[in-house]
Amino acid sequence: MKSLREDCYNSFFSHIYVEQAVKNHPRTKQALARFQDARVIEIGHYKDVFCRRGQDFLQQHRSQKLILAGKPGTLLYPGAAVCPSFGNDHFYYTSCVMNCIYNCEYCYLKGMYPSANIVWFVNLEDFFSETDRMLKQHPMYLCISYDTDLLAMEAVTGYVREWMRFADSREQLKLEIRTKCADRSFFEQTEPVCGVVFAFTMSPQRVIEAYEHGTPSLAQRIDCAAEAVRRGFSVRLCFDPMIYVPDWEAEYDRMLEQIFRKLPAGRLSDVSVGTFRVPQDYLKNMRRQEPDSAVVQFPYQNCGGVYQYPADLAGRMEGYLTKRLAEEIPEDKLFLWKQEG
Amino acid sequence: MIYIFTAACYEASAWIAHFQLKKDVGQTRFQTFYSENAKLCLTVTGAGMISAAAAVSSICTANGAGKGDFLIHAGICAAVGAGRGAAGELFYCHKITELTTGRQFYPDVLYRHGFCEAELVTGAKPWDTSETARAPVFLEEEKPFFLFDTEAAAVYQAGSYFFAPHQMAFFKIVSDCRETAAVTPEQGKRLTGLHMEDLADYVKMLDKAGRKEGQGEPVPEVLLKQLCRDLYCSAAMEASLRQHIRYCILAGIDYEGRILKMYRENGLPCRNKREGKRCFEELKRRLL
């Protein structure tokens, strides 16, 4: 867990907001027992805190608070057009935790959510029931770590292990857990489950240092992914989003060399490539929140409501990386994101 | 700037003395005191929600309050419930409930402080224990302890037009008799004075935090306007160029050198819109 105790800011989770309806839920009690020094504030509905007017995402990220809530209504959503489905027909995602402890400047969450505080929905069993209901209709490819980094929150929520236990007895269910976390101990202490893929986002160290604040280094991510592979977990590498920096060819070359020195390419589940893209409404919010961020203020082009790099630059970046990856990875395991339509 | 709002003069006097605030004689509606050195502006709103909202709205509009600024509401309150809230105790309020509507407001508690925290309820008239039969019983049943005043919810709602939730802080000091109506000016002045050093430290910390909030480096308008004239830019092209230059500033790219080179090599200014469009595309390529 990162330390946010810097300057004049309160510590991470110094305050925990608890919905009245879940105050006696076992997971609420578990959270409050873990953060005994936190001040507990009772609330009616999580949106009373999460959706307040005029919140400053960046400032809040310096002292994130935890909101414990129950999520009613729709719990599974069809996969978004800007996300790759990896050839799966029934692509869904779910958010049992909203927001992330990492602070990546380019992250769409800054444009999507009005608050940087973390919402933990404690009614996980309802998510399971909804998944079971859907599985009766068709098989599912379900991404459970899009709007958060669930593995980075594992010490707090334990949700990755719970989802793995759930998936273990459901052959029709494929789970993707996307992460920048480098917690090797998780893979040392957990048994792999068929159908659960851990998708590690890989970025050049220069991009990590410039834009992925609070995340593990490239070397740490590689070590963790290598440990997962060694222990038989299904591992995907995501070079997505690719971020433009001056001399990007050399930066991505260095990254690939570092990766394939330690990771056996043949044992990877698959690999995805895609340059940065974000829905136009999100970018508008991100630019207001982060006026000093070069990656957010880049003059992206609006293509069908999605902001992305100019077509020639995006083509060169994706082409370069896929060509280099094709030297190590069979073509059928290489997925390049393409906009539909 | 840090904007401080108190309901009564006696709640303001310790602030005025500590920061050596001067009266703003130009303000006729609300008594206002300021210090340019400390970047403080204190306003006495008068009692009640309407007065408080009117004062916050008036002062913040006149001064253009916004990013990098803070609002502090400080004053005397009643304490309801057993076990806590001794007379003279200072609280930082992390939740404010408006009694008439039941709406709840949550100032962000981002900055470190050493104060006790509590919930605050704002009612239309002062809490009076002799009228408990008419008082909202549900409050005492649901909440073992809470503070009670007659302004904070209005200050929050008016303040939220100018400030983010992390820019507003609410401090309340429990009155001697636990009922706000019965506080004498002397008591109020003494109680506020008890905590002035701690409150002043908090103000200093806010001042430091406010200076760190980024505003974004401005794009050089003169250069941009000249360039747009010379390239026959439309409004959309100007917006695109502005974004390119903003990016160059942040990425440390020598955009001025590249633009000058473009002037030399491409014979800017352009002679017509068609040539302007061609040069515009070329310039965008060169800037990245």
Side-chain angles (χ1 to χ4, degrees):
Chain A
M1 191 67 69
K2 68 178 174 173
S3 167
L4 279 172
R5 201 166 182 81
E6 49 181 80
D7 290 337
C8 45
Y9 293 94
N10 270 320
S11 59
F12 188 64
F13 293 176
S14 64
H15 291 68
I16 300 181
Y17 297 90
V18 181
E19 268 187 2
Q20 269 165 351
V22 302
K23 70 179 178 186
N24 294 318
H25 194 285
R27 286 197 186 91
T28 302
K29 290 179 179 168
Q30 167 203 329
L32 298 184
R34 182 179 170 87
F35 297 101
Q36 287 182 358
D37 293 336
R39 200 167 292 277
V40 179
I41 303 170
E42 211 168 277
I43 58 175
H45 193 278
Y46 79 91
K47 288 183 181 174
D48 295 346
V49 177
F50 195 70
C51 298
R52 286 167 297 164
R53 182 166 80 179
Q55 295 175 81
D56 188 318
F57 201 104
L58 256 58
Q59 289 294 322
Q60 288 181 334
H61 218 293
R62 294 170 185 265
S63 172
Q64 285 174 297
K65 314 302 183 199
L66 181 62
I67 302 171
L68 299 171
K71 184 156 170 69
T74 309
L75 302 175
L76 307 179
Y77 307 94
V82 289
C83 303
S85 66
F86 294 90
N88 293 284
D89 288 334
H90 303 285
F91 167 33
Y92 289 84
Y93 76 96
T94 188
S95 302
C96 40
V97 173
M98 301 201 301
N99 264 329
C100 186
I101 62 165
Y102 297 140
N103 186 15
C104 300
E105 286 185 24
Y106 56 75
C107 182
Y108 68 92
L109 295 177
K110 292 187 168 77
M112 188 169 85
Y113 289 146
S115 171
N117 293 327
I118 291 179
V119 184
W120 171 8
F121 292 116
V122 295
N123 56 327
L124 185 63
E125 288 67 24
D126 293 337
F127 288 77
F128 291 162
S129 303
E130 178 75 2
T131 308
D132 271 336
R133 197 183 59 76
M134 204 80 98
L135 283 172
K136 282 181 187 154
Q137 296 166 29
H138 50 66
M140 264 177 95
Y141 169 63
L142 180 62
C143 296
I144 61 170
S145 186
Y146 268 1
D147 299 339
T148 185
D149 192 319
L150 212 52
L151 193 56
M153 288 282 289
E154 183 63 4
V156 178
T157 67
Y159 271 13
V160 174
R161 285 189 179 91
E162 295 219 40
W163 271 108
M164 288 175 73
R165 272 195 291 275
F166 176 76
D168 198 16
S169 54
R170 289 158 178 85
E171 282 180 16
Q172 298 279 78
L173 178 63
K174 271 200 242 176
L175 284 184
E176 190 216 61
I177 298 156
R178 190 161 295 211
T179 188
K180 286 175 181 153
C181 180
D183 180 12
R184 282 171 57 119
S185 65
F186 173 86
F187 296 99
E188 289 162 0
Q189 294 161 9
T190 312
E191 285 301 312
V193 168
C194 185
V196 177
V197 61
F198 285 85
F200 289 86
T201 303
M202 295 288 177
S203 304
Q205 185 58 29
R206 182 169 169 186
V207 171
I208 293 171
E209 283 165 13
Y211 303 125
E212 298 179 357
H213 310 296
T215 64
S217 67
L218 174 62
Q220 288 170 319
R221 293 183 207 180
I222 295 169
D223 279 349
C224 187
E227 181 65 24
V229 167
R230 229 183 340 267
R231 291 183 177 268
F233 288 85
S234 183
V235 169
R236 165 179 296 153
L237 297 188
C238 298
F239 303 100
D240 186 1
M242 285 184 77
I243 299 293
Y244 170 81
V245 285
D247 208 12
W248 55 268
E249 292 102 326
E251 295 294 342
Y252 277 89
D253 272 344
R254 256 195 296 279
M255 175 191 71
L256 290 182
E257 278 168 32
Q258 213 175 327
I259 288 171
F260 291 119
R261 255 204 314 269
K262 292 211 167 169
L263 262 170
R267 291 180 63 186
L268 290 173
S269 167
D270 48 32
V271 166
S272 78
V273 174
T275 45
F276 175 78
R277 70 259 174 208
V278 66
Q280 59 183 8
D281 292 344
Y282 294 179
L283 186 68
K284 193 177 157 195
N285 293 337
M286 290 160 72
R287 282 186 171 160
R288 198 183 61 242
Q289 293 279 357
E290 301 176 282
D292 294 329
S293 167
V295 69
V296 169
Q297 297 298 338
F298 186 94
Y300 298 104
Q301 284 184 355
N302 191 336
C303 184
V306 176
Y307 272 106
Q308 45 199 291
Y309 288 115
D312 62 327
L313 177 60
R316 274 188 289 132
M317 288 171 71
E318 289 165 357
Y320 186 83
L321 193 62
T322 45
K323 191 176 161 210
R324 291 280 284 105
L325 284 167
E327 293 163 14
E328 308 278 349
I329 312 269
E331 210 169 285
D332 62 335
K333 286 187 171 186
L334 236 171
F335 291 86
L336 174 65
W337 177 82
K338 282 279 174 218
Q339 191 169 19
E340 287 171 12
Chain B
M1 179 76 85
I2 295 171
Y3 297 90
I4 301 163
F5 294 93
T6 67
C9 285
Y10 61 75
E11 292 166 326
S13 56
W15 292 90
I16 294 168
H18 186 92
F19 288 104
Q20 298 177 317
L21 303 180
K22 306 278 180 253
K23 186 159 187 173
D24 181 353
V25 289
Q27 278 289 343
T28 53
R29 301 287 175 196
F30 301 99
Q31 284 196 69
T32 301
F33 303 83
Y34 69 95
S35 159
E36 278 175 14
N37 289 343
K39 291 183 181 154
L40 285 182
C41 173
L42 183 146
T43 303
V44 181
T45 65
M49 289 194 273
I50 302 287
S51 308
V56 170
S57 168
S58 165
I59 297 297
C60 292
T61 301
N63 290 283
K67 202 170 171 71
D69 297 331
F70 291 95
L71 176 155
I72 290 176
H73 174 60
I76 305 296
C77 69
V80 184
R84 294 177 70 198
E89 198 173 352
L90 172 68
F91 287 93
Y92 185 108
C93 305
H94 55 221
K95 176 177 177 180
I96 301 164
T97 302
E98 188 177 54
L99 190 56
T100 49
T101 61
R103 289 182 67 194
Q104 292 165 335
F105 309 102
Y106 302 91
D108 271 333
V109 196
L110 297 193
Y111 304 110
R112 220 181 296 169
H113 65 77
F115 308 110
C116 291
E117 291 187 22
E119 288 185 37
L120 174 66
V121 175
T122 298
K125 58 180 189 171
W127 186 266
D128 185 345
T129 47
S130 67
E131 292 182 27
T132 42
R134 285 192 285 138
V137 177
F138 78 91
L139 276 178
E140 288 179 280
E141 284 174 352
E142 284 182 4
K143 301 176 196 296
F145 170 75
F146 62 92
L147 306 173
F148 192 93
D149 84 338
T150 54
E151 291 88 21
V155 170
Y156 185 98
Q157 288 173 87
S160 64
Y161 285 91
F162 305 91
F163 303 97
H166 78 279
Q167 294 172 278
M168 295 191 275
F170 295 78
F171 293 100
K172 287 286 164 183
I173 301 165
V174 178
S175 72
D176 279 350
C177 54
R178 299 172 70 86
E179 294 167 30
T180 44
V183 178
T184 64
E186 290 70 30
Q187 285 172 331
K189 198 169 170 178
R190 183 181 56 79
L191 291 172
T192 311
L194 287 175
H195 300 284
M196 208 51 239
E197 291 296 329
D198 292 337
L199 290 168
D201 285 345
Y202 186 79
V203 165
K204 277 182 210 152
M205 188 270 299
L206 282 188
D207 182 45
K208 194 174 131 197
R211 278 184 230 150
K212 284 184 179 173
E213 292 201 17
Q215 303 280 350
E217 196 174 328
V219 169
E221 291 298 328
V222 177
L223 173 75
L224 181 68
K225 293 289 173 202
Q226 174 72 44
L227 194 56
C228 288
R229 260 197 307 274
D230 294 345
L231 292 173
Y232 288 87
C233 283
S234 64
M237 288 160 77
E238 180 177 338
S240 175
L241 267 189
R242 179 185 296 278
Q243 198 62 43
H244 276 75
I245 293 174
R246 179 177 297 287
Y247 169 72
C248 289
I249 292 170
L250 294 169
I253 295 168
D254 174 23
Y255 63 96
E256 285 171 313
R258 294 183 192 191
I259 290 170
L260 278 176
K261 197 174 174 201
M262 183 86 184
Y263 267 85
R264 276 199 308 272
E265 293 176 1
N266 292 57
L268 294 183
C270 298
R271 283 166 298 185
N272 52 43
K273 276 189 184 175
R274 180 187 286 187
E275 195 180 309
K277 193 155 189 213
R278 189 181 51 75
C279 286
F280 167 76
E281 294 298 333
E282 171 68 16
L283 178 60
K284 285 201 300 181
R285 263 193 301 276
R286 290 191 185 196
L287 286 176
L288 295 182

